[in-house]
Amino acid sequence: MEYLTTTQIAEKWNISRRRVAKLCAEGRIDGAKLMGKTWWVPDDAEKPEDQRLKGKCNGQ
C-alpha cells in the first residue's frame, strides 16, 4: 500500500490540506497515520462525507 501526504490527498479530493489534516485527526480517514508532524493517507482511502453540509439541502 502506498501513502500520500495531506497535500497530495487535498489535490486528489479537491479540498484544502488543512481540511484533510482535520479529517485525519478526527479519525475519519481509515488507515491515516501520523508520523512526526505529517499525516500519511493510504492512496486508496475514500473521501469522507462532509458532515458540515448535513441538512442544508432542506433549507435548514
Side-chain angles (χ1 to χ4, degrees):
M1 177 182 319
E2 296 215 14
Y3 286 86
L4 302 174
T5 64
T6 54
T7 301
Q8 293 167 317
I9 288 292
E11 290 173 6
K12 181 177 176 180
W13 291 349
N14 197 31
I15 60 176
S16 72
R17 183 179 59 83
R18 177 70 183 118
R19 183 74 184 137
V20 175
K22 185 164 177 59
L23 291 169
C24 290
E26 292 174 352
R28 296 189 47 210
I29 301 176
D30 291 334
K33 297 179 181 185
L34 182 61
M35 294 182 172
K37 294 181 180 181
T38 304
W39 281 101
W40 292 92
V41 180
D43 61 350
D44 61 350
E46 293 190 27
K47 180 181 176 182
E49 191 173 316
D50 193 342
Q51 307 247 331
R52 298 173 301 168
L53 302 176
K54 192 173 186 177
K56 289 193 178 183
C57 294
N58 298 329
Q60 295 178 358

